Amino acid sequence: MTMSDRAARAKAAVDVVTAFFARIQATADDPDALDFTFGNPHELALPGLTSAMQAQIEPRTVDWFAYKTSERLAQETVAAGLRTELGLDFEPEDIAMTQGAFGALSLAFALLADAGDEVVIPVPGWFCYEPMLHAANLVPVRAALDPETFDLDVDAIARAITPQTRIVVVNSPANPTGRVYSEATWRALAEVLENGSRTHGRRIWLVSDEPYRRIRFDGIDFASPAMAYPWTVIDYSYGKVLLAPGQRLGYLALSPLIPGDERDELRAALMPIGLAIGWGFPDAVMQYAVPALEAVSLDMAELARKRDRLFGALDGAGVRVTRPEGTFYLWGEAPGGDGAAFCAALDERGVHVMPGALFDQPHHFRMSLTATMETIDRAIPHLTDVAAALGPTAR
């Protein structure tokens, strides 16, 4: 085989996703397509995004577009925001600016784990965890969420921990389910991780994947596991709240509760490892724009209206859907119990949704709420017709 074993494993883990990409790309030029697949924008960019970037595009010094690592003003802005949001005493030195959450996760894996280490990931969960881990020569270990509520199953995580476990990844608000986990959940998980670390004689780290942290409904509070477990790092992406996933901007944050010597060691490694993974720092203009972008957000009231419109229609048609507490997705059980058949029937009508098989859940589907309200209204008759034709879920 020409490619490396880890490349082959990464490719195999993402083949179902790339095949789906290719199929959806074939419909990209169809003006009548009703697309609910990815969290892409369906309208022009938020005015605050474009103005923030425009304000920084004109060079002010000769090194305006020179090599940039983590810009100090961006670090200071992020640390101040985290202090306000999470109530923990973050400092600028705890922040590494990255190419979105992808870059932050790559940095975390390189920083904390060695080749062959195991990393526990949630299922259903983001479909890029596994290929990223394989590419980093790490071993993904799945831990199922509660099959009814999609709550984090702390007992399942405990069963997944072995002497080789180095990292546990959690995601709240969770993609694809929209669940937001409570402080009590994090306290229970912290106890499991502390016990596992003590039992196996090596520290288990927690990576808290928080790109949807600011996208929550109904006044639901957010709690980060960094508040409960000191050995936590947080990854974040601005691409979600700005509805601009193509502008790669994010960060990795070290919990200020990490014990002093370990925190200092990690701080000193953030820049060198960011360089080593392929200059994983955001472009200069995006970093300069961070202070302005901190105040920019998609319209949460409009997003809630979209959620309620689509959830109400599907629920009224007898489709079992999880009402999201956060993110911009709807997660449901496919009518007839076959996610692929449900998606194929909708494809024939020009309505495109994501099959649950991409999340290792073949009986489910996911829909993105970033579509316009007009698109939602046009799609609802097709969704309800197909649901009626395929019948109830298998359960």
Side-chain angles (χ1 to χ4, degrees):
M1 181 166 52
T2 302
M3 71 179 74
S4 67
D5 286 345
R6 65 180 181 175
R9 292 194 301 271
K11 179 181 179 298
V14 81
D15 270 347
V16 65
V17 181
T18 53
F20 180 74
F21 262 110
R23 182 163 63 82
I24 292 302
Q25 199 63 33
T27 69
D29 295 329
D30 180 0
D32 296 320
L34 305 177
D35 184 7
F36 296 88
T37 54
F38 293 96
N40 280 320
H42 291 251
E43 299 172 286
L44 290 177
L46 300 175
L49 168 62
T50 53
S51 62
M53 295 172 63
Q54 287 168 346
Q56 304 299 335
I57 198 68
E58 190 66 33
R60 300 175 193 174
T61 62
V62 295
D63 66 347
W64 198 248
F65 301 126
Y67 282 113
K68 303 296 177 183
T69 57
S70 291
E71 287 290 287
R72 181 70 181 187
L73 183 56
Q75 292 175 297
E76 291 173 348
T77 302
V78 169
L82 284 169
R83 286 195 296 270
T84 299
E85 284 187 78
L86 304 186
L88 297 174
D89 194 19
F90 287 88
E91 297 177 2
E93 292 78 13
D94 297 319
I95 310 302
M97 304 305 298
T98 63
Q99 290 274 337
F102 265 108
L105 286 165
S106 293
L107 177 59
F109 297 152
L111 193 68
L112 300 174
D114 291 313
D117 281 345
E118 293 178 355
V119 179
V120 179
I121 57 175
V123 177
W126 187 46
F127 43 69
C128 288
Y129 292 138
E130 286 203 29
M132 288 184 71
L133 291 169
H134 285 306
N137 215 14
L138 302 173
V139 181
V141 177
R142 300 177 179 187
L145 303 176
D146 184 287
E148 293 295 322
T149 65
F150 299 107
D151 282 329
L152 198 71
D153 189 335
V154 175
D155 290 337
I157 293 174
R159 292 191 296 271
I161 290 174
T162 76
Q164 286 72 48
T165 303
R166 185 60 167 169
I167 296 172
V168 172
V169 177
V170 293
N171 175 215
S172 176
N175 174 15
T177 66
R179 293 306 313 277
V180 177
Y181 303 131
S182 67
E183 289 185 48
T185 296
W186 300 137
R187 287 194 296 270
L189 179 61
E191 183 177 352
V192 163
L193 298 183
E194 187 60 45
N195 289 340
S197 299
R198 189 182 308 112
T199 298
H200 299 299
R202 67 189 309 227
R203 175 56 57 189
I204 299 172
W205 287 86
L206 188 62
V207 173
S208 184
D209 186 19
E210 301 181 7
Y212 301 96
R213 187 177 67 233
R214 295 174 177 175
I215 304 177
R216 306 189 311 278
F217 300 108
D218 307 321
I220 291 175
D221 290 334
F222 176 80
S224 174
M227 302 172 181
Y229 188 66
W231 293 272
T232 298
V233 299
I234 295 169
D235 73 86
Y236 182 78
S237 170
Y238 285 87
K240 307 303 183 183
V241 75
L242 299 177
L243 264 186
Q247 292 299 128
R248 309 303 301 160
L249 179 65
Y251 58 78
L252 185 73
L254 308 176
S255 169
L257 301 181
I258 296 171
D261 289 346
E262 293 171 81
R263 188 180 177 196
D264 289 343
E265 182 182 348
L266 293 176
R267 281 176 166 184
L270 289 174
M271 192 283 283
I273 303 305
L275 181 155
I277 62 175
W279 204 263
F281 310 102
D283 294 341
V285 168
M286 294 307 297
Q287 293 207 59
Y288 301 149
V290 166
L293 293 176
E294 273 287 291
V296 180
S297 172
L298 51 75
D299 186 339
M300 282 302 304
E302 177 64 11
L303 189 66
R305 286 191 289 271
K306 292 177 183 178
R307 177 200 63 170
D308 293 343
R309 176 79 175 106
L310 194 50
F311 176 87
L314 289 167
D315 185 64
V319 181
R320 187 177 180 187
V321 185
T322 300
R323 184 178 176 85
E325 300 165 325
T327 77
F328 39 57
Y329 305 115
L330 279 184
W331 176 248
E333 292 189 36
D338 185 337
F342 179 58
C343 293
L346 289 172
D347 281 344
E348 292 180 0
R349 293 168 171 254
V351 180
H352 307 294
V353 307
M354 189 170 281
L358 273 66
F359 306 89
D360 199 39
Q361 302 289 296
H363 306 301
H364 288 73
F365 66 95
R366 192 194 78 176
M367 300 184 69
S368 175
L369 297 171
T370 61
T372 65
M373 187 66 84
E374 178 190 7
T375 298
I376 290 171
D377 287 337
R378 288 172 56 199
I380 283 172
H382 299 294
L383 290 164
T384 55
D385 285 352
V386 170
L390 293 179
T393 59
R395 292 201 282 173

